[in-house]
Amino acid sequence: QVQLVESGGGLVQAGASLRLSCAYSGRTFSGYQLAWFRQAPGKEREFVLAIQWREGSGGFTYYADSVKDRFDVSRDNGKNTVYLHMNSLKSEDTALYYCAGSSEWDSDYDRASSYNIWGQGTQVTVSS
């Protein structure tokens, strides 16, 4: 059974950077689709970005407009970890950030329903 564990959240000031980690364990796949979502209090879960990757053929990355040019993603397959690099953080980035995964690529990569594996979330708080 695949498990996802997020870490790296914390309290930072506006303009700072933060790196979140999503470590996956259990069965490994030659390809996957992994996304970051976030949910602020009183708001719906929001898509942040997604990465689709397949061994031998590379992959694609998709960004929400709200984080484009500020957030990026990288992966370390040797460590079974995907990182979310967040730069120029704003107070509106404050949320509980979730890592979500699927062994299949999906054109609806920005929908939570496309993912069947979720982490427990890590809190990011940006003070203005």
Side-chain angles (χ1 to χ4, degrees):
Q1 183 177 356
V2 177
Q3 289 186 320
L4 301 177
V5 178
E6 304 97 330
S7 62
L11 171 64
V12 297
Q13 290 189 331
S17 298
L18 202 60
R19 188 185 75 170
L20 305 184
S21 300
C22 174
Y24 52 93
S25 61
R27 179 186 172 191
T28 58
F29 301 91
S30 59
Y32 56 77
Q33 175 172 288
L34 193 143
W36 288 93
F37 288 81
R38 65 187 182 186
Q39 188 165 17
K43 295 187 177 182
E44 294 187 353
R45 193 165 296 189
E46 175 190 22
F47 168 76
V48 176
L49 63 76
I51 179 172
Q52 295 173 330
W53 181 85
R54 186 166 291 140
E55 187 175 348
S57 60
F60 304 93
T61 305
Y62 308 94
Y63 302 86
D65 289 342
S66 59
V67 305
K68 197 177 298 183
D69 298 327
R70 297 190 300 123
F71 289 13
D72 207 347
V73 64
S74 65
R75 53 179 177 80
D76 187 336
N77 289 342
K79 294 183 178 180
N80 289 348
T81 301
V82 173
Y83 302 98
L84 175 62
H85 304 271
M86 304 186 295
N87 302 305
S88 303
L89 283 163
K90 306 175 181 178
S91 57
E92 50 263 44
D93 294 319
T94 294
L96 187 61
Y97 282 70
Y98 294 94
C99 178
S102 171
S103 60
E104 301 293 332
W105 288 17
D106 194 318
S107 59
D108 291 328
Y109 53 81
D110 57 347
R111 295 188 179 183
S113 58
S114 296
Y115 302 87
N116 56 352
I117 306 167
W118 290 81
Q120 82 289 349
T122 184
Q123 178 68 38
V124 173
T125 303
V126 183
S127 63
S128 57

